[in-house]
Amino acid sequence: MRILYLHQHFSTPAGATATRSFAMAEALAARGHAVTMACGQYAGAVTGLAGGYRHGRRAGPVGGFRVVEFAIPCGNHLRLAARAGAFLRYAARATGLALAGAWDVVVASSTPLSVALPALAARRLRALPFVFEIRDPWPELPRAMGLGSPLVWAGMDRLADAACRRAAAVVALSEGMAETALAHGAAAATLRVLPNGSDLDLFGPHVRPWRPDGLAPGVPLAVYAGAHGPANGLDQLVAAARLLRAGGSPLVLLLVGAGAEKPRLQAAAAALPNLRLLDPLPKPRLAGLLAGSQIGVQCLAPVAAFAEWTAPNKLMDYLAAGLPVVANLGGRAARLLEGGGFGPCGIATAPGDACALAAALAALAADPDRRAALGRAARAQAEARWDRRRLAEGFCQVVEGAAA
């Protein structure tokens, strides 16, 4: 089967961003399908291609499938208008590819929501079935954060309606995202929840650990690894670092990543010796850092919609690494940290409560036995519930069923 996989932000594990689409494309290729991944130039991503661009694109084999990379830079550091322009340019180039190739099925992975445009065009003009994957619900999240305008949200609503109603299958990363798909008209029979998974080979206690220079071996280290944008609410971690220092906790907070808020966070960290920042790390390097850390930190802005409408990759990485997690949100993440039958694997604090966040971090920093128990439960849950290889099998079945 010939599959066109559209994901503007694709990266291999050599990059510093999410690798779900790499894993899914690799799984499809392992089942004998001819997969072509079409992507842009996302900040922090590594596509696996080298050499120059010809007519604004380059292509080649990567990981058992083919990658077509368009010379369209994009990233969270760009202003909203620039990012929107990159989204539309990618949609235009991907539409040309979708209409020109001999495909059996198209996979359109959102965000951005504009990735649905080439899939819809291929369905209308070529009668090609497509799978619509919702990694973040748009326009629900931008609307909840007040990003954009009512006119923009209305346009995105119409596009999401068309994508959900006309897709042969819809994949959502959480039950909350699945509810937004139903609200946009997706048929329940076409809908499948396939969460983010844990890469148990890349992350885990078997990985050789490392720690940043200048950090004493006995100092507990808490790592936040992810975007530094308005949605992440990292001012809460700055406030927590101040409280931890005032309370005498030896804990050091390390923020790894990039984004529009990073320059301001760096300025704040200059006055806080227990707060450090690093640039984004390739996944294998990040795996070593997590192996050398004591706590994983999940932080989001206090937006009520985040409780059920987000499925952070970093949380899956922390669990795979066997780290206890401190998260400042309720909903899905809080339930996950409760552990179910695997026992608790972290602490969830109230959104926006920096004092509670600092208290949870200080409590774990002072209790290595509790950290060890939570970390064992985290790895056990990752192995039993979130193994990405098992979730990839489900994804392959959805794509094959859509083509059929």
Side-chain angles (χ1 to χ4, degrees), residues 29 45 99 131 182 189 220 228 238 254 275 288 355 363 395 401:
L99 298 180
V131 176
L182 292 172
H228 292 33
V238 175
L254 178 63
L275 180 63
C355 292
F395 187 86

Side-chain angles (χ1 to χ4, degrees), residues 105-131:
V105 65
V106 176
V107 177
S109 186
S110 170
T111 57
L113 180 58
S114 48
V115 76
L117 291 170
L120 288 165
R123 184 189 182 282
R124 181 180 180 85
L125 300 176
R126 298 275 310 277
L128 285 175
F130 71 92
V131 176

